Amino acid sequence: NAGVTQTPKFQVLKTGQSMTLQCAQDMNHNSMYWYRQDPGMGLRLIYYSASEGTTDKGEVPNGYNVSRLNKREFSLRLESAAPSQTSVYFCASTLAGVYATGELFFGEGSRLTVL
Amino acid sequence: KNEVEQSPQNLTAQEGEFITINCSYSVGISALHWLQQHPGGGIVSLFMLSSGKKKHGRLIATINIQEKHSSLHITASHPRDSAVYICAALNYGGSQGNLIFGKGTKLSVKP
């Protein structure tokens, strides 16, 4: 069972470069999320998608864009990377839709360093 | 002030000890999650609860809605329980985008 798969696991970028983090789930989940995790802070929501075709900003969306390509895939793009975007990024999914909650399934994380 | 507070921040225990991790929240919630983050970084869901108590193996989670408090208990702790434990609260009436995460409790169980 693959669950939630995110790639790449590690990436080093130079300031100003762009990249896309890919996330795919095979559980037919409705909702997908992108979080960042920084030392000493809780997970913070960047963007989420409550269902295919919809995306919404979370707590820290600046500098990021997302695409819900289909029900399985939710990508996160950094158009012009900045050192402040050095972090560990997690993709997550849940069966529940909006205004509900369900068990969360997380990817293994992507460690991004911006020099 | 963070709306979800966990205590303690760090906890060291001897193998076999009973462990309690606390989570207090200041908002009205419809559900609360307990997550485990392994030393390698992966995050897994342990419990999701909105009332009462849930048990899975040596893990027990309780929640008191009136007191806005939840606890995670580990009985007969083992070194493999060493991890960061995170609670996350879903704002009452909020969408899934309104999960509020605590900063985590780092547990180390010594043999």
Side-chain angles (χ1 to χ4, degrees):
Chain A
N1 293 334
V4 178
T5 304
Q6 59 179 105
T7 57
K9 288 186 171 48
F10 301 93
Q11 184 74 48
V12 178
L13 292 175
K14 294 180 180 177
T15 296
Q17 288 185 318
S18 62
M19 76 160 296
T20 299
L21 297 174
Q22 307 284 356
C23 177
Q25 51 86 13
D26 61 0
M27 297 171 283
N28 201 34
H29 283 174
N30 294 308
S31 299
M32 298 184 72
Y33 311 85
W34 277 106
Y35 295 99
R36 60 178 289 173
Q37 186 178 44
D38 301 294
M41 305 187 74
L43 287 157
R44 292 184 294 169
L45 182 66
I46 304 171
Y47 271 94
Y48 70 102
S49 171
S51 62
E52 184 179 357
T54 68
T55 61
D56 285 284
K57 294 179 180 179
E59 181 185 354
V60 288
N62 291 344
Y64 305 95
N65 286 301
V66 290
S67 296
R68 184 77 182 264
L69 303 168
N70 48 54
K71 194 169 186 179
R72 289 188 65 247
E73 298 172 290
F74 188 40
S75 62
L76 178 72
R77 182 160 178 84
L78 287 70
E79 291 291 352
S80 178
S84 60
Q85 294 177 305
T86 293
S87 188
V88 180
Y89 292 84
F90 286 95
C91 178
S93 71
T94 183
L95 181 61
V98 180
Y99 305 117
T101 188
E103 184 179 359
L104 288 164
F105 293 82
F106 286 83
E108 293 185 359
S110 299
R111 185 174 294 275
L112 175 65
T113 301
V114 183
L115 303 176
Chain B
K1 184 181 182 300
N2 200 25
E3 292 171 299
V4 175
E5 297 277 358
Q6 289 186 235
S7 63
Q9 289 185 352
N10 293 282
L11 180 57
T12 299
Q14 288 298 125
E15 184 173 356
E17 287 185 355
F18 180 84
I19 289 164
T20 296
I21 298 170
N22 298 298
C23 177
S24 297
Y25 49 91
S26 57
V27 296
I29 69 165
S30 56
L32 186 133
H33 296 261
W34 280 102
L35 310 170
Q36 180 191 53
Q37 185 167 24
H38 300 299
I43 301 173
V44 295
S45 176
L46 297 175
F47 296 102
M48 182 189 67
L49 64 167
S50 55
S51 64
K53 175 180 173 178
K54 287 191 174 181
K55 185 176 188 292
H56 182 70
R58 295 180 294 105
L59 301 178
I60 303 166
T62 63
I63 190 167
N64 185 316
I65 297 294
Q66 287 74 27
E67 295 187 3
K68 296 186 176 179
H69 182 268
S70 177
S71 293
L72 177 68
H73 306 285
I74 305 175
T75 62
S77 60
H78 191 276
R80 65 175 175 265
D81 297 325
S82 298
V84 176
Y85 293 84
I86 301 167
C87 70
L90 179 65
N91 250 336
Y92 182 77
S95 72
Q96 278 282 58
N98 285 343
L99 271 175
I100 307 168
F101 290 83
K103 294 181 180 181
T105 294
K106 186 175 182 179
L107 171 65
S108 178
V109 181
K110 305 295 185 186

